[in-house]
Amino acid sequence: MDSLLIYFPECEKPARRLADHAGLAFDEIKVHHFPDGESLVTLPESLPRCVIIYQSLNHPNDKLVELLLAARGAREKEVSNLILVAPYLAYMRQDKAFKPGEVVSQKIIGLFLSDLFDSLVTIDAHLHRVKDLSKILPGCKAVNITSAGLTSGYIVKNFPDRPFLLGPDEESWQWVSGIAKMTGLEYGVCSKIRYGDKQVEVTLPEVKFADRHVILVDDIVSTGHTLATAAVKLRKAGAAQVDCIITHALFSKGVLKFLKTSGIRRIITTDTVPHSTNRIFTASMVAEVLKEFI
Ligand code: R5P
């Protein structure tokens, strides 16, 4: 066995899909959570020289410690090529100190990961002011792939009525414009002011939405307030149907119901974060990139 993909339990399904597409042997990393909150991480007894760890970094705080234990544990077993597949890469949004004293977590988490891994593969990392992942992960071969092609394919196949694609804020421009280019669909972006975790103000672009089918496109859903606020405005503007397609399903509790009550009909996500709304599967795309590192 030349290389082995090992995954954390929560990511079993997407990790096995990746192993299947990449023709890799796979095994599970066992995790026991002690009552005091510490984690016991158990790796397969023997590891080859090349190991791929699969973990999506939603709810990242415990996961980052478990990743540290797994990566250092693997190095102790003399793994010389250690690759992280983190379809969702956490802490990328805090790319500057918005207020004095705020710690720029993007930079610190980037250094933490680049110290542990030789290479990293992620999908649609939230890169805004810092555009290049290699600046965040110095010394680590890092690749940020986009799910725009897969999402475009999904839209063309499942929504033949030529919907309008709408990004709910300025930061979504990169995703919505990419998908619009591939599908040839009309698109626009809203402007957004965030006052707090659950307080956002969204202004629609000057477009006639009456009787139109609109798909909201964004990289992340967390509290759902960005999407819900945009959807309520769209319904008020007369949109006939509002759906959403999101890359990373970071749903906090109760968000799915909340989005439905805001008038969003279909909620579709990629499988970068395992969730019941996953419809777009990324394994084939990640397998292609992974070949370069094994
Ligand atoms: C921010 O720029 C992101 O692209 C998302 O719009 C944001 O993280 C969504 O957060 P929430 O669902 O909490 O409004």
Side-chain angles (χ1 to χ4, degrees):
M1 184 173 44
D2 297 337
S3 32
L4 178 71
L5 183 144
I6 54 176
Y7 57 83
F8 281 86
E10 188 187 306
C11 288
E12 179 177 357
K13 284 186 183 162
R16 283 186 176 220
R17 280 195 289 269
L18 174 60
D20 196 30
H21 276 274
L24 287 166
F26 59 85
D27 206 339
E28 191 183 57
I29 299 171
K30 292 191 174 53
V31 182
H32 174 71
H33 294 115
F34 290 109
D36 61 7
E38 290 183 7
S39 303
L40 172 68
V41 170
T42 307
L43 298 173
E45 255 182 76
S46 86
L47 293 175
R49 294 275 164 157
C50 174
V51 167
I52 302 110
I53 296 184
Y54 193 110
Q55 175 66 306
S56 198
L57 292 173
N58 54 313
H59 298 299
N61 295 356
D62 283 354
K63 287 183 173 182
L64 286 169
V65 172
E66 288 162 8
L67 207 51
L68 168 73
L69 298 173
R72 294 277 183 235
R75 293 290 193 199
E76 279 174 11
K77 287 175 182 273
E78 292 175 16
V79 170
S80 55
N81 185 12
L82 190 57
I83 302 163
L84 175 64
V85 175
Y88 173 65
L89 190 56
Y91 281 111
M92 291 297 110
R93 282 171 285 182
Q94 187 80 24
D95 60 0
K96 73 169 197 174
F98 296 91
K99 292 187 192 135
E102 282 182 357
V103 172
V104 183
S105 46
Q106 184 191 69
K107 191 172 153 197
I108 292 170
I109 297 299
L111 285 173
F112 171 81
L113 293 174
S114 58
D115 206 30
L116 296 177
F117 295 95
D118 299 297
S119 330
L120 179 147
V121 180
T122 190
I123 299 172
D124 292 331
H126 190 95
L127 303 179
H128 184 49
R129 278 154 285 261
V130 184
K131 303 247 181 283
D132 186 354
L133 203 55
S134 68
K135 296 218 162 63
I136 302 165
L137 292 139
C140 175
K141 283 176 266 163
V143 178
N144 179 29
I145 38 181
T146 179
S147 63
L150 295 174
T151 300
S152 299
Y154 186 92
I155 291 174
V156 169
K157 188 167 171 212
N158 293 281
F159 300 104
D161 60 337
R162 302 199 59 77
F164 186 94
L165 305 179
L166 184 65
D169 58 22
E170 297 85 346
E171 294 186 21
S172 63
W173 181 85
Q174 56 178 305
W175 292 285
V176 75
S177 63
I179 295 166
K181 205 171 165 188
M182 291 182 208
T183 53
L185 293 172
E186 258 185 278
Y187 80 100
V189 290
C190 303
S191 53
K192 177 174 91 178
I193 304 173
R194 186 177 279 281
Y195 297 104
D197 290 343
K198 296 186 175 180
Q199 288 159 303
V200 295
E201 192 182 305
V202 172
T203 308
L204 298 180
E206 295 282 326
V207 173
K208 284 194 179 120
F209 288 110
D211 302 323
R212 295 213 61 177
H213 176 197
V214 182
I215 301 182
L216 289 162
V217 176
D218 206 358
D219 63 332
I220 293 170
V221 54
S222 172
T223 68
H225 279 262
T226 300
L227 291 174
T229 310
V232 168
K233 289 249 166 127
L234 283 166
R235 298 310 298 247
K236 273 195 190 141
Q241 184 182 323
V242 181
D243 298 316
C244 69
I245 301 189
I246 307 298
T247 310
H248 307 297
L250 304 189
F251 295 101
S252 25
K253 210 166 171 244
V255 171
L256 216 46
K257 205 168 157 199
F258 171 59
L259 290 180
K260 290 277 180 193
T261 55
S262 75
I264 298 180
R265 204 189 67 165
R266 290 183 65 186
I267 300 161
I268 294 144
T269 60
T270 77
D271 66 347
T272 59
V273 176
H275 192 264
S276 62
T277 55
N278 293 170
R279 296 289 178 275
I280 299 169
F281 300 99
T282 55
S284 56
M285 177 177 87
V286 178
E288 266 315 297
V289 173
L290 207 50
K291 278 188 206 154
E292 294 167 31
F293 299 126
I294 295 174

